[in-house]
Amino acid sequence: MKVLVVAEHLNGKLEDITFEMLGKAKELGTAEVALLGHNAKDLAAQLGKADSVIYMDSPELAEFNPDTYSKGLKAIVEARQPDIVLVGNTSMGMDLAAALSVDMGMPLVAYAIDVAADKVVSSLYGGKMNVESAVSTPFIASVLAGSFPADAGRGEGSPAVEEMAAPDFGSVKVRFKQLIEPEGGDVDITQQPILVSVGRGIQSEDNLPMAEELANKLGGAVSASRPIIDNKWLPKTRQVGKSGLKVKPKLYLTLGISGAPEHIEGMKDADLIIAVNTDLKAPIFDYAHYGTTVDLFDLVPALTEKL
Amino acid sequence: MNIIVLIKQVPDLVEELELDSSGKDLDREWLKYKVNEFDDHALEEALLLKEEHGGTVTAMALDGQDIDKALYAAAAKGADRVVKITGLEGNPSNHEAAKAFANAISGMDYQAVFTGVQSVEDRDGQLPVLVAHYLGIPHVSVVSGVKIEGDKAVVYKEYGGGMMAELEVDLPAVLGIQAARETPRYVPVARVRRAMRSTEMEEVSAGDVSGAAAGSEVARMFKPETGQGAEMLEGSAEEVADKIVSILKEKGIV
Ligand SMILES: Cc1cc2nc3c(=O)[nH]c(=O)nc-3n(C[C@H](O)[C@H](O)[C@H](O)COP(=O)(O)OP(=O)(O)OC[C@H]3O[C@@H](n4cnc5c(N)ncnc54)[C@H](O)[C@@H]3O)c2cc1C
Ligand SMILES: Nc1ncnc2c1ncn2[C@@H]1O[C@H](COP(=O)(O)O)[C@@H](O)[C@H]1O
């Protein structure tokens, strides 16, 4: 089984998802990593677990670009004819996997949490349902972050690095302008030992002070799931998850968060997770150490009172 | 600036999900549907751009469960046209849906297609990129915020850790929208009812979608094993609060 892992890197750093997929690829067969970039060959030295690395260099690949990266990846897949292509189900990977599927006429299974030669398991419906797809090679799977241990994909070694010329990109329709770093917020939630994290279950901005008060009593801060940030009730710097921050506090207490995979990605390594959610079937309870279905509007005042 | 916004009805996850007798799909009979939350953002961003630059917004969807209501709601919010794609039976794959959209869109006068970034049931890949590739135009996924500068769009693509890339894209293009600049607007039911009477529902055939199969099949669906799962704390709010306090004390947190 020839498995091609599409490396993901940002700001000169390989993302964890690369190692997570590489570990899985080694389990499935021979693992080749597709590394696209500009003056990024050095990154191959960190891919010790790979059997080989195929490196494509071009100024057009200096930063992630949905247009040029799709064209470059297509050229690599045409040349190497892998049985399985593993792409991250990430912001970058979303722009690559489906494009490759149409370009190569290869089936794609997304949101993969497990991959074998003849089947892929996807986590769908916000983590509430797993779907097993029957597939045959060659196919593409886009892998959810955190599905496989990254450590299994890290290791010493010096894989053979083969350079492949970039294809003619033709007329390039997307241009990279700049990377925008998040603005510094009032509180750095990655440094807080205790987080009270609010989700859509909090219902209204007017109810936030209740969570603030509880966080104060506990000596921590308030963080949140994405909808709270999209509603502009809290700044982006308070967002936990895939497009927010990864946190690992001593206590992560959730109030009205369902536990969608994009949220879980940011907090599953917290030492102690306590979830408050009225829906007994909420996926957050699969990750929490303790849980309760008591209404948060009853529990929070009672808990604040007792602390 | 004419923008087409694709709208999808998805199962409301607040409801309990049950399997049908085949074990390969949800039991959809009693399922409650709602508009994919990211589509509300896609529509909002399109309406904001129309307010700034003029042009039209067309809301488009595949025929299916409760879709008329969703399209009329889009009209009530400000969409100029509502279009329903007919002729795709059952549960089409996303590849087939994308091909049908591309067939319908290719003959239209448009500068951009906005979709939600993803939905909770896109097993064979996210639709925006599929549509773009069938149309042969560029795409950017996970977009929060769009500016139009002549025949180009400047978009903000979100990465992890709050990092964003600013990209410039030649139009026409497909953008998978994660979040609009503003909180999506709300319309009261009365306005949706009025839109139902005043808006013409256009119907367009899906056309030929052969050659656009997903290439894989659902073998089974199952609820995730709950791992060790949480230890559930039972009782009244007072009792549960007491239990939490003693857990926190035991762990030395308070
Ligand atoms: C590319 C991408 C990136 C994303 N990045 C992130 C990210 O970084 N972070 C993130 O969080 N999400 C992210 N998301 C969004 C994610 O998919 C979910 O939509 C989001 O996490 C849901 O937030 P929630 O749990 O607060 O809301 P919901 O899923 O709506 O859950 C609300 C919960 O509150 C419970 N509830 C309601 N009332 C009460 C009450 N009175 N008491 C107790 N419980 C109650 C309900 O049972 C429900 O489970 C991303 C999505 C995409 C597509
Ligand atoms: N059947 C459909 N009808 C209308 N829009 C769709 C459909 N499928 C996908 N879309 C659009 O594509 C977005 C991403 O959905 P997904 O299909 O899950 O990738 C949705 O939010 C819609 O904007």
Side-chain angles (χ1 to χ4, degrees), chain A residues 9-26:
Chain A
H9 54 98
L10 182 65
N11 255 346
K13 201 178 147 284
L14 283 165
E15 300 277 327
D16 280 351
I17 182 79
T18 308
F19 300 103
E20 294 168 15
M21 295 190 293
L22 182 50
K24 186 69 196 178
K26 286 295 289 176

Side-chain angles (χ1 to χ4, degrees), chain A residues 86-97:
Chain A
L86 298 181
V87 186
N89 197 104
T90 55
S91 181
M92 294 183 194
M94 273 191 217
D95 269 315
L96 295 177

Side-chain angles (χ1 to χ4, degrees), chain A residues 106-157:
Chain A
M106 269 163 89
L108 162 63
V109 185
Y111 306 91
I113 53 170
D114 201 7
V115 181
D118 57 354
K119 67 172 191 216
V120 176
V121 179
S122 306
S123 169
L124 298 182
Y125 301 102
K128 281 195 159 183
M129 200 62 86
N130 287 352
V131 180
E132 182 182 308
S133 298
V135 284
S136 50
T137 57
F139 67 86
I140 308 159
S142 60
V143 177
L144 276 181
S147 301
F148 310 120
D151 283 347
R154 287 185 217 273
E156 301 290 308

Side-chain angles (χ1 to χ4, degrees), chain A residues 222-306:
Chain A
V222 171
S223 59
S225 67
R226 168 142 210 151
I228 305 301
I229 312 301
D230 285 345
N231 284 340
K232 304 195 166 44
W233 297 348
L234 284 172
K236 186 83 183 169
T237 44
R238 301 284 186 115
Q239 184 181 322
V240 172
K242 188 189 189 93
S243 46
L245 294 158
K246 292 199 170 41
V247 297
K248 202 178 169 303
K250 283 214 277 273
L251 169 65
Y252 192 76
L253 174 65
T254 70
L255 304 175
I257 291 181
S258 64
E262 293 85 4
H263 188 80
I264 299 297
E265 224 181 287
M267 45 60 77
K268 65 174 186 318
D269 296 327
D271 293 343
L272 177 65
I273 302 170
I274 302 179
V276 182
N277 191 313
T278 43
D279 176 9
L280 181 62
K281 298 283 163 58
I284 189 75
F285 292 129
D286 300 344
Y287 301 88
H289 302 96
Y290 296 93
T292 174
T293 55
V294 168
D295 192 307
L296 77 87
F297 294 106
D298 298 328
L299 182 71
V300 174
L303 184 55
T304 309
E305 168 82 36
K306 290 179 195 293

